[in-house]
Amino acid sequence: MIYPLKLEAPLKDYLWGGTRLKDEYGKKTTLAKVAESWELSCHKDGQSVIANGEAAGKTLAAWLAEQDKSVLGTKATACPYFPLLIKLIDAKGNLSVQVHPDNEYALRVEGEYGKTEMWYIVDCEPGASLLYGFKHEITQAEFKRRIEDNTLLEVCNRVPVHKGDVFFIDAGTLHAIGEGILICEIQQSSNTTYRIYDYGRVGKDGKPRELHVDKALDVTKLAPPARGTEPLACIDVIPGADLTLLAQCEYFTAYHGNLKDSCQLTAGEESFQSLTVLMGSLELSSGAHKLTLAKGETVFLPAGLGDYTLTGQAEFILSKL
């Protein structure tokens, strides 16, 4: 029997992380800091665990392996593995300047798919900013030189951020989340990152963290980003909630939801869905199944589940293929 699967997220304590995901979003852990919470993941580097119902205690990946592939939906038939990874990211400090490869390069060099991703700015400190592509087009020779002489930041496109901003990070786009930003990230299920610049920081072993300059030179688009920072469109056709289409591409579709009272949505045959609560709380009802989702919690909705009802006052991110 398929039903809504409430998930427990694996947590990552990268050196730039803070404590907001513990203090404000209910992540229970002995880690001193939580940089990332992998809300929906079947990736080998961190897997979501089911928290409710007859499958409680299993990883989502193990549960999916027991099911017919129809629970992922018709759009997932061409995917060789679970296609999405969704994170909450608390950047207390600056992340490294980095880039992700596209599918062709990543499959050939790393043995996994590449990474296109989207950021939704959940919250940020006043004056916060991030890096998003270059100010202007540069040559590969200049890119290499600036990495070597530590002047790369001079040509990076620094963008001030505000709650609700959307950044679509095509594979090959140079980027870096800045300090004081909380993000919900929807991405391809890949953990391949090429670090270009890291502010001279050292890792837990006391040594400078590894850079991946040669690979970054292979894959980085040396131009300003092609997309802006606005959501794609507003949709206000569901009684009880406003849905804003944040981003849509061949890898994922993501909406921001503002639940005001009660609304009905549908998990059809095309795709599974994932819902992550950013603010407030809600009750999700699907047939005889009911569960409560608090701030910072995520549910996986199998394809073909059908109609379900959300009740409460909450902000959420809804993702699907």
Side-chain angles (χ1 to χ4, degrees):
M1 177 184 294
I2 63 173
Y3 64 99
L5 303 175
K6 192 173 184 177
L7 302 178
E8 294 179 357
L11 307 176
K12 307 293 182 178
D13 64 343
Y14 305 135
L15 60 83
W16 43 262
T19 62
R20 291 190 69 180
L21 294 177
K22 291 201 304 179
D23 299 341
E24 300 176 34
Y25 288 81
K27 303 303 177 184
K28 298 194 173 12
T29 177
T30 58
L31 297 174
K33 61 179 69 173
V34 178
E36 296 184 353
S37 173
W38 290 20
E39 294 296 306
L40 175 72
S41 175
C42 291
H43 196 278
K44 61 182 177 58
D45 293 339
Q47 299 199 354
S48 301
V49 175
I50 298 167
N52 66 313
E54 61 187 28
K58 293 182 180 180
T59 64
L60 178 60
W63 182 84
L64 289 170
E66 298 169 355
Q67 310 303 313
D68 185 89
K69 287 189 175 182
S70 62
V71 297
L72 294 180
T74 56
K75 286 188 174 182
T77 54
C79 300
Y81 54 76
F82 188 77
L84 290 190
L85 177 55
I86 298 174
K87 303 175 181 177
L88 293 174
I89 300 176
D90 175 21
K92 177 69 172 177
N94 293 314
L95 273 72
S96 60
V97 182
Q98 57 192 244
V99 68
H100 307 301
D102 62 16
N103 289 340
E104 185 278 326
Y105 188 94
L107 284 168
R108 176 165 50 84
V109 176
E110 308 294 346
E112 73 170 359
Y113 277 73
K115 190 198 293 191
T116 285
E117 61 192 18
M118 185 218 83
W119 297 338
Y120 176 80
I121 308 299
V122 179
D123 196 14
C124 59
E125 295 178 2
S129 63
L130 53 76
L131 301 183
Y132 184 41
F134 292 92
K135 294 178 181 177
H136 51 76
E137 190 167 348
I138 65 172
T139 65
Q140 189 174 66
E142 180 181 358
F143 185 37
K144 186 173 186 295
R145 174 181 63 78
R146 287 187 176 277
I147 294 172
E148 292 170 348
D149 64 17
N150 288 323
T151 62
L152 178 63
L153 298 186
E154 294 178 7
V155 292
C156 292
N157 179 38
R158 183 171 293 279
V159 183
V161 301
H162 311 87
K163 175 178 166 58
D165 285 347
V166 176
F167 293 83
F168 191 91
I169 316 292
D170 285 295
T173 302
L174 175 145
H175 60 278
I177 303 172
E179 64 182 6
I181 302 176
L182 186 70
I183 279 175
C184 184
E185 177 177 281
I186 294 90
Q187 60 162 90
Q188 289 179 266
S189 184
S190 170
N191 202 27
T192 297
T193 297
Y194 299 149
R195 194 179 294 129
I196 305 168
Y197 175 78
D198 197 37
Y199 304 93
R201 293 180 293 202
V202 297
K204 293 179 180 179
D205 59 1
K207 299 177 181 179
R209 297 203 298 168
E210 182 183 5
L211 301 181
H212 313 94
V213 175
D214 289 342
K215 291 178 178 178
L217 288 170
D218 286 342
V219 305
T220 303
K221 299 175 181 177
L222 303 175
R227 301 179 188 241
T229 62
E230 297 297 320
L232 286 183
C234 254
I235 302 174
D236 188 13
V237 296
I238 299 175
D242 296 332
L243 283 185
T244 301
L245 179 61
L246 301 178
Q248 190 170 35
C249 66
E250 62 182 300
Y251 305 116
F252 54 77
T253 299
Y255 297 87
H256 174 269
N258 184 14
L259 179 65
K260 300 173 181 179
D261 181 17
S262 179
C263 74
Q264 187 174 87
L265 299 171
T266 303
E269 304 291 343
E270 281 192 337
S271 174
F272 66 88
Q273 297 179 11
S274 173
L275 191 151
T276 299
V277 178
L278 304 180
M279 295 291 291
S281 64
L282 59 84
E283 183 179 83
L284 187 152
S285 301
S286 171
H289 297 278
K290 290 185 178 182
L291 58 85
T292 299
L293 294 173
K295 179 179 177 179
E297 293 188 320
T298 293
V299 64
F300 173 84
L301 302 160
L305 181 70
D307 294 340
Y308 62 93
T309 301
L310 305 179
T311 304
Q313 293 186 347
E315 289 185 39
F316 61 88
I317 297 293
L318 178 65
S319 308
K320 61 181 183 177
L321 296 185

